[in-house]
Amino acid sequence: MDNCIFCKIANGLIPSATVYEDEDFRIILDMNQKIRGHMLILPKQHYADLYELPPQLAAKAMLLAQKAAKACQKTMDIDGLNLLQNNGEAAGQSVMHFHLHVLPRKKGDDPKFPAWDEESISSEEMKELADKLSQQLS
């Protein structure tokens, strides 16, 4: 897409701090580091979100996340790691190009980052929702 900033970055049209690249993906250091070592895994082809991403690329994105995690572990002496992937504005997606955040963590980091409030749900509602979701996954 001509006007997609992540398409331009993923395809090398805009300079970035690239840490990995292959024919399908580019992994960069996020220009807006939330945590030191914050990376983005970007497909080179445009997919708005996880719903559009082909299954084989979704699987490859997770394999790349594992590689990125291991690289962080070896080079940054981290204690943990978050993977974050938002889909749609309601979920906090601000750039409508699939991307997976890799966020290295250290002991003492704010345990509520990223923060979500819990929602109260009864055991009956939980069972009903689980049944509905299970039918769709079968």
Side-chain angles (χ1 to χ4, degrees), residues 3 10 16-18 22 52-53 55 58 60 64 71 89 97 113 115 132:
N3 60 347
S16 64
T18 299
D22 65 23
E52 289 186 6
L53 192 68
K60 187 172 181 180
L64 290 174
E89 288 181 36
H97 179 113
F113 174 83
K132 287 179 181 178

Side-chain angles (χ1 to χ4, degrees), residues 28-77:
I28 65 167
L29 287 175
D30 193 313
M31 288 184 64
N32 300 309
Q33 293 277 291
K34 302 298 183 202
I35 295 173
R36 182 178 173 82
H38 176 188
M39 290 181 268
L40 296 177
I41 298 174
L42 305 170
K44 290 184 174 181
Q45 189 169 341
H46 185 84
Y47 302 100
D49 51 33
L50 183 64
Y51 306 114
E52 289 186 6
L53 192 68
Q56 70 276 13
L57 289 180
K60 187 172 181 180
M62 189 56 67
L63 292 171
L64 290 174
Q66 183 182 44
K67 286 177 97 167
K70 289 179 179 181
C72 287
Q73 195 174 42
K74 288 179 183 175
T75 61
M76 297 178 61
D77 190 35

Side-chain angles (χ1 to χ4, degrees), residues 2-134:
D2 292 340
N3 60 347
C4 175
I5 186 90
F6 281 178
C7 281
K8 292 176 182 177
I9 293 170
N11 288 287
L13 301 175
I14 294 176
S16 64
T18 299
V19 297
Y20 175 86
E21 181 179 10
D22 65 23
E23 65 279 356
D24 298 315
F25 287 91
R26 183 181 298 253
I27 302 176
I28 65 167
L29 287 175
D30 193 313
M31 288 184 64
N32 300 309
Q33 293 277 291
K34 302 298 183 202
I35 295 173
R36 182 178 173 82
H38 176 188
M39 290 181 268
L40 296 177
I41 298 174
L42 305 170
K44 290 184 174 181
Q45 189 169 341
H46 185 84
Y47 302 100
D49 51 33
L50 183 64
Y51 306 114
E52 289 186 6
L53 192 68
Q56 70 276 13
L57 289 180
K60 187 172 181 180
M62 189 56 67
L63 292 171
L64 290 174
Q66 183 182 44
K67 286 177 97 167
K70 289 179 179 181
C72 287
Q73 195 174 42
K74 288 179 183 175
T75 61
M76 297 178 61
D77 190 35
I78 62 172
D79 300 308
L81 185 117
N82 290 110
L83 297 177
L84 177 65
Q85 204 283 307
N86 304 318
N87 294 281
E89 288 181 36
Q93 185 179 8
S94 59
V95 178
M96 299 308 158
H97 179 113
F98 173 88
H99 55 286
L100 179 59
H101 295 262
V102 179
L103 300 153
R105 303 301 300 273
K106 289 191 175 264
K107 288 181 183 167
D109 285 350
D110 181 357
K112 291 191 174 200
F113 174 83
W116 291 284
D117 293 328
E118 292 182 19
E119 183 177 335
S120 179
I121 183 169
S122 71
S123 57
E124 293 83 20
E125 291 172 310
M126 183 124 17
K127 170 81 170 98
E128 182 181 333
L129 182 56
D131 289 343
K132 287 179 181 178
L133 291 169
S134 178

